[in-house]
Amino acid sequence: MPNSESEEIETIVQQLSDGSPATFQARYAKCEAMIARHFKDGSKFLFALIKAAVEADVQQSNLIDDAVSFLDDADLARLAFFLQGEAKRGTDVEDLLSHALLQAPDLFPDSLLATSYDFADWQEHADPRSPPICQHFVFEGGSPGDSPFPAHHNHPTWHLPTIGRPHTVGGIGSATCPICRQKLTHLVTTEDFSDDPMVSVPRLCIETCTNSLEPTYYSHDAAGVPTLIAPFHTAYDFTSEPATRVSTVHLAPTPQRWLRQSYGASNSRQNLFRLGGLPSWVQGPQFPLVPGTDRQMKFLLQFDSLAGFLWGSGGMLYVFWDEESRITCHVPQYT
């Protein structure tokens, strides 16, 4: 590694070792700018930085956690080996392990996966090491949020290679909520995906009432148009401003590395707008049943609190589907 990069790593570690709260923001910004220069082609630098931070016991920082996402496959494998050795020595590398476990579970033994809080939500799947495939909604222009942090808007999941034509998410829906009398918010019309051979989903217009903080059911006619059915609202719901923002997205086949995404580990950094696959739970698994039956509904998609959407105080909306009844259930979870 060039001397200049070694000096950068030494500087970052020194800055993270400084415990002075008075200079924290300035030190953080300086380190962040130095690290961001290596996001695109600096995997070896980032691996060396993570290793040096652990050895100096300054690894408990979002700056170091975020670096894991930008490692190439070879350096991610090196990190997995290094972290397992450090964990056996009693070093606190739990946060780093949580990121590496999700991105490359095949590099870790089952005994270690079983200790992961993030991985536990998916252990009931038939084969936890082989989750179902999914697609990401990739927004034109990258991350739809306004975060100033380079690790947020540069995260690989906002820039996955896309396929097919553009689609529209957001905007005012066609139906009206019978309780709050507010127009439903349009999430996405899945019929738009029907010309994509890579995607197999029912043809539905998915709209939701953003004022409802409880699971809400919608029936869909033969054309996929929704009608809101009970339960509508609860005493804990609130009135929000209509989500009128319209965004253009493309679908991107999700690489193996991002088939598992944790809401907690993402911390608003990753793209969690997903079609199919495994839910990124905020409060733990919550699979709804078809009303009046014991039949569990199938997970269809999830939307994060970005791009004009806000679920509760900030969280996720999960949409489930049942082919037989032609009912969707929208489950919000929030912090």
Side-chain angles (χ1 to χ4, degrees):
M1 181 173 291
N3 287 339
S4 59
E5 293 187 355
S6 297
E7 291 171 358
E8 278 187 291
I9 290 174
E10 183 177 352
T11 298
I12 292 170
V13 170
Q14 288 177 345
Q15 294 291 310
L16 293 177
S17 300
D18 186 343
S20 172
T23 59
F24 171 77
Q25 289 185 330
R27 288 185 289 106
Y28 191 97
K30 179 180 179 179
C31 293
E32 185 177 50
M34 294 171 70
I35 295 171
R37 290 198 293 267
H38 299 275
F39 281 161
K40 185 176 181 181
D41 301 306
S43 182
K44 286 184 172 54
F45 172 91
L46 295 172
F47 171 75
L49 171 63
I50 296 170
K51 189 170 181 288
V54 171
E55 291 170 347
D57 195 22
V58 293
Q59 71 276 9
Q60 294 183 357
S61 166
N62 286 335
L63 289 174
I64 304 303
D65 289 341
D66 289 344
V68 177
S69 292
F70 297 89
L71 297 177
D72 62 25
D73 290 345
D75 283 321
L76 183 59
R78 294 173 64 196
L79 179 66
F81 179 80
F82 170 72
L83 292 177
Q84 289 178 78
E86 290 300 308
K88 289 178 180 178
R89 281 189 283 274
T91 308
D92 184 0
V93 290
E94 181 178 355
D95 288 346
L96 285 169
L97 272 173
S98 69
H99 286 267
L101 282 167
L102 291 168
Q103 294 176 41
D106 289 344
L107 300 177
F108 298 90
D110 288 342
S111 58
L112 191 54
L113 295 181
T115 67
S116 168
Y117 174 82
D118 290 321
F119 208 81
D121 287 345
W122 302 310
Q123 288 298 316
E124 295 181 3
H125 188 267
D127 183 358
R129 290 186 177 274
S130 300
I133 63 171
C134 70
Q135 287 81 31
H136 272 75
F137 296 100
V138 175
F139 289 76
E140 287 192 351
S143 169
D146 57 358
S147 171
F149 303 117
H152 291 211
H153 52 76
N154 286 313
H155 195 275
T157 51
W158 293 114
H159 306 282
L160 296 172
T162 61
I163 58 174
R165 61 185 180 83
H167 309 286
T168 298
V169 300
I172 301 298
S174 59
T176 300
C177 174
I179 302 301
C180 64
R181 308 309 302 174
Q182 182 170 295
K183 279 284 190 179
L184 300 184
T185 294
H186 172 256
L187 297 183
V188 68
T189 300
T190 62
E191 186 175 7
D192 293 345
F193 308 145
S194 60
D195 60 352
D196 188 339
M198 299 290 291
V199 182
S200 177
V201 294
R203 296 187 173 189
L204 301 171
C205 179
I206 302 177
E207 301 179 356
T208 196
C209 179
T210 56
N211 290 338
S212 178
L213 299 184
E214 294 293 329
T216 307
Y217 293 86
Y218 299 77
S219 62
H220 295 261
D221 64 18
V225 177
T227 299
L228 189 60
I229 58 178
F232 298 128
H233 289 265
T234 73
Y236 302 104
D237 295 345
F238 68 104
T239 300
S240 63
E241 291 296 319
T244 59
R245 178 173 172 181
V246 176
S247 300
T248 300
V249 301
H250 293 259
L251 287 179
T254 303
Q256 181 73 23
R257 184 163 178 176
W258 303 110
L259 289 178
R260 301 171 185 82
Q261 287 180 277
S262 158
Y263 180 83
S266 167
N267 197 19
S268 299
R269 289 157 167 76
Q270 301 177 19
N271 177 6
L272 298 182
F273 289 84
R274 294 162 51 113
L275 176 69
L278 297 171
S280 303
W281 298 111
V282 178
Q283 302 290 355
Q286 187 181 355
F287 286 91
L289 300 178
V290 178
T293 77
D294 59 358
R295 190 166 68 249
Q296 185 171 283
M297 304 182 78
K298 295 182 179 179
F299 175 65
L300 181 60
L301 59 85
Q302 65 182 32
F303 270 38
D304 201 351
S305 284
L306 288 171
F309 303 107
L310 180 65
W311 316 116
S313 55
M316 301 283 290
L317 182 75
Y318 313 91
V319 177
F320 298 83
W321 164 248
D322 179 67
E323 182 74 34
E324 182 177 338
S325 64
R326 295 195 59 79
I327 288 176
T328 57
C329 182
H330 300 189
V331 178
Q333 289 189 352
Y334 42 94
T335 55

